[in-house]
Amino acid sequence: MANPPTSYDYIVIGAGSAGSIVAAGLAASKKAPSVLLLEAGKDAKDVKELWDPNYINSLYDIKDIHWGYKSVPQSHMNNRVLDVWRAKITGGCTAHNDMVYSRGARADYDEWESVHGCTGWAYNDVASIFDKVEAKLNPTTTTENTFGTDFVDACVGLGYAWNPNYNSGQSMFGVSALQSTINEEFTRVTSYESYVPGGALKNLSVQIQALVDRIEFDEKKQTSGVRYYVNGTLTKANVTSEVILCAGSINSPQILMRSGIGNSTVLKNAGVTNTIVDNSEVGQNMWGALIMLGSWTTSQPIYNQPVNEGYAIVWANINDKDQPNNCLEMMRGLYIANQTEAQLEGHYSVTGGAMRLQSKGSVVITTSDYTMPPVIDMKFLSADGDFEQCLDAFDLMREIGNSPGL
């Protein structure tokens, strides 16, 4: 960004799933405020493998598009250290995920309002927003083939009825055609690509490879700007209205804590000298999912799948609020990087996901150095019932994979 201004109406941190939409929406509003969008990674257009859905299993090998985060040893998982995948690139995790598109269960949103007091976040309130997002992203269903049809038949035979649209706002239960952010040309679609038109919004400035150090505040504890580094050079951008933090579940709490918002004891131990807000909840209550994988050899080749993405998805073990505990997907091949055509044609895989675990983890900084990763502890399987939920996912994955039709 050549000769950038030093002050903006809004600064958005993170050009990922949410930040891209927020920044573009602000810049395109009637008042046309000046907006600075900061992204720690590079432009996704420079990573050609990213746009081909067949590379979904290979993107994790491209180190410079990830933060490289690791969990601490998980004490309830035989001390395994887990990769915590977070993208560092325009588009965020929409640029490196498996492109599955899901709104989530209606009850999830209704509980945000009824249980947590988030007025205006019930499903009926947000459904129209999803409609607008989907008009931009235009989710598609992956091409059906013989294997996809047989997979659906196997699921129906096991009692998982055909559900024509799991994103309808009604029950998600059953087996459905997978909705994905892959366009009709079989190219990945990202939020940044969809919402941030190159050069079209003159009042939107985008700075890539900008590592945010912290948000700054004035003497009244009002946001005054953001400190960030580009190629090691410190830059300060002032803000007249708001800083909007869209840096994801790992980086957002890090930035807050480095900025003086968090547990004052944690901040002090990390060398953050000025506590703006003492809040012990920052970086706490992180939820995650666990996904298992089973692979099988097939007695006949699997053809006619234009991308390495499965045709169908299963939502199972629904609770009394119509929220699915388990999610299963299918795909041809072994779900590994750089597969040969023989591997793709000669195998199929099914994933079993435990999607409603109650274990809650944390993200904690131990230093104010913006280049250092936080301590991430998912605390997986520490809550009662979580291990059993994983067993349910594994058993269902195996039952479907071993079904007579497959």
Side-chain angles (χ1 to χ4, degrees):
M1 188 169 62
N3 300 316
T6 59
S7 183
Y8 301 85
D9 295 315
Y10 295 91
I11 300 175
V12 179
I13 300 174
S17 307
S20 300
I21 299 175
V22 170
L26 285 169
S29 63
K30 291 182 179 179
K31 293 185 178 180
S34 59
V35 181
L36 173 63
L37 177 59
L38 298 174
E39 169 53 46
K42 59 185 180 181
D43 194 323
K45 290 181 180 178
D46 296 331
V47 185
K48 62 180 179 59
E49 299 95 337
L50 182 151
W51 301 100
D52 184 348
N54 288 305
Y55 279 89
I56 56 173
N57 304 320
S58 304
L59 295 181
Y60 301 105
D61 295 335
I62 306 176
K63 296 185 183 301
D64 64 349
I65 69 171
H66 304 287
W67 286 95
Y69 292 137
K70 303 278 187 180
S71 75
V72 301
Q74 297 296 283
S75 59
H76 292 81
M77 297 182 70
N78 199 29
N79 289 322
R80 287 180 61 183
V81 174
L82 304 175
D83 291 307
V84 182
W85 295 110
R86 305 302 301 171
K88 185 171 67 172
I89 196 165
T90 57
C93 289
T94 63
H96 84 159
N97 62 14
D98 278 8
M99 298 162 287
V100 174
Y101 182 79
S102 172
R103 289 187 175 191
R106 168 184 283 270
D108 291 340
Y109 301 94
D110 291 343
E111 285 184 350
W112 286 359
E113 182 171 77
S114 63
V115 177
H116 303 291
C118 300
T119 302
W121 283 89
Y123 185 83
N124 286 340
D125 296 316
V126 302
S128 62
I129 306 301
F130 275 118
D131 291 339
K132 293 178 181 179
V133 170
E134 289 157 15
K136 279 277 191 181
L137 298 182
N138 192 27
T140 61
T141 54
T142 309
T143 304
E144 183 178 7
N145 66 352
T146 302
F147 171 51
T149 301
D150 289 344
F151 181 89
V152 170
D153 290 344
C155 294
V156 171
L158 292 171
Y160 296 92
W162 173 254
N163 183 339
N165 182 6
Y166 61 89
N167 283 324
S168 66
Q170 303 307 310
S171 177
M172 298 178 71
F173 174 79
V175 57
S176 304
L178 177 69
Q179 296 183 32
S180 61
T181 49
I182 301 173
N183 65 24
E184 294 178 351
E185 287 74 42
F186 305 118
T187 301
R188 177 191 291 271
V189 176
T190 74
S191 61
Y192 183 83
E193 172 206 22
S194 300
Y195 279 87
V196 182
L201 296 171
K202 301 300 182 184
N203 54 325
L204 174 61
S205 301
V206 179
Q207 177 62 68
I208 60 173
Q209 297 182 317
L211 291 172
V212 172
D213 176 15
R214 64 179 184 264
I215 301 167
E216 293 198 321
F217 300 86
D218 60 23
E219 64 279 359
K220 296 180 180 180
K221 295 188 177 181
Q222 298 296 309
T223 308
S224 62
V226 176
R227 286 167 50 101
Y228 61 94
Y229 289 82
V230 179
N231 298 322
T233 300
L234 175 63
T235 302
K236 167 73 181 295
N238 298 317
V239 69
T240 58
S241 183
E242 298 179 41
V243 172
I244 302 171
L245 186 54
C246 301
S249 57
I250 306 299
N251 289 62
S252 286
Q254 278 191 91
I255 293 170
L256 285 174
M257 285 184 274
R258 289 201 300 264
S259 305
I261 300 174
N263 185 310
S264 58
T265 300
V266 171
L267 302 185
K268 181 179 179 181
N269 291 339
V272 178
T273 57
N274 185 21
T275 298
I276 303 298
V277 177
D278 185 1
N279 187 327
S280 61
E281 295 300 305
V282 175
Q284 302 300 307
N285 303 306
M286 182 170 64
W287 279 357
L290 286 171
I291 300 177
M292 292 141 279
L293 172 68
S295 295
W296 288 259
T297 55
T298 178
S299 59
Q300 56 184 306
I302 300 175
Y303 299 126
N304 304 322
Q305 194 74 42
V307 296
N308 183 23
E309 181 77 280
Y311 168 66
I313 189 169
V314 184
W315 301 95
N317 294 322
I318 306 292
N319 64 22
D320 57 3
K321 296 179 181 178
D322 208 27
Q323 298 162 306
N325 287 328
N326 298 132
C327 172
L328 291 94
E329 295 176 62
M330 48 75 79
M331 66 288 296
R332 70 171 186 152
L334 294 170
Y335 208 79
I336 59 175
N338 304 313
Q339 293 188 72
T340 65
E341 186 61 29
Q343 288 173 317
L344 288 169
E345 293 177 4
H347 301 84
Y348 64 89
S349 299
V350 182
T351 59
M355 312 305 290
R356 206 162 291 276
L357 302 175
Q358 296 303 303
S359 307
K360 294 183 180 180
S362 62
V363 177
V364 178
I365 63 169
T366 57
T367 173
S368 60
D369 185 344
Y370 73 97
T371 66
M372 298 300 293
V375 174
I376 303 171
D377 187 358
M378 305 299 295
K379 294 185 172 64
F380 275 136
L381 306 186
S382 61
D384 291 342
D386 281 4
F387 184 73
E388 289 74 17
Q389 188 185 137
C390 289
L391 286 180
D392 288 342
F394 183 86
D395 289 344
L396 180 56
M397 172 192 77
R398 186 168 55 181
E399 184 178 26
I400 292 175
N402 288 328
S403 62
L406 297 183

